Amino acid sequence: TRVICHPDKMEVVKPQVAECVAGYAAYAQSLPTTIDIMAPGTNKAAGLHVLQKSLGLSMAECCAIGDSENDLEMLQSVRVACAMGNAVKKTKAVSHFVMPKNTDQPAGVVCLIRSLTAALKATKVEVESTAKEKLRVACFSMGSWGTGVARQVGQSLLHLKRFEEALPVWVPAMETVTAINETGFDERHLPGLRLPRNVHATVDPVDAAKD
């Protein structure tokens, strides 16, 4: 079922839809003019999970791209989340990367597919010694600047084979550590911006720096 309205009326209509379907159905805005109403628990992440199961893949082996609020659950469930350049703010906030718009040449989806293909080819031909010890990075962060650095470094480590993927981050406040590890966000210092999945916070500096 879909509810369609003028874009200028969406901020008024959406709360009304939420109130009407509360406890009975799920809803998500899919277009500037459209709200989708679905069975409880129905979203793109659930559909992707069915596909992954049939292919024998895990969420950690998947990448997704989206532009609307109905993509949020899917983007938050995969290893690498990408937003279109024309995506809404909420979608960009939970994504690791922002691609070109769908009106650009080449468009965001095309750029993503080309990047993934190039990465797979590079991995296939790259010869690395399995015995070669990987380098390890730790981040000692405080405040907005520190969390921002941890976000950028964490994203980079996901693509650098010479380094261990995990990024331990020392944070002095336990409440911030808990928020980062349980939600993937540091709303106090970097509101609305998701941290990479490889970031793990700790209040123990020795733990963060250990080999």
Side-chain angles (χ1 to χ4, degrees), residues 139-141 169-174 176-177 180 186 189 201-204:
C139 185
F140 290 75
S141 109
V169 178
W170 173 78
V171 180
M174 190 62 202
T176 304
V177 169
I180 291 175
D186 181 358
H189 299 112
T202 176
V203 291
D204 184 355

Side-chain angles (χ1 to χ4, degrees), residues 128-189:
E128 285 190 345
S129 171
T130 55
K132 193 174 184 180
E133 184 179 355
K134 290 190 175 184
L135 300 176
R136 185 172 183 271
V137 178
C139 185
F140 290 75
S141 109
M142 291 184 70
S144 302
W145 184 86
T147 303
V149 169
R151 185 172 188 264
Q152 294 300 319
V153 173
Q155 289 176 344
S156 298
L157 290 179
L158 292 172
H159 308 282
L160 298 173
K161 292 183 175 295
R162 186 67 183 87
F163 294 84
E164 289 185 11
E165 191 172 278
L167 176 63
V169 178
W170 173 78
V171 180
M174 190 62 202
E175 60 180 347
T176 304
V177 169
T178 302
I180 291 175
N181 292 338
E182 293 184 355
T183 70
F185 289 87
D186 181 358
E187 292 292 352
R188 180 181 177 186
H189 299 112

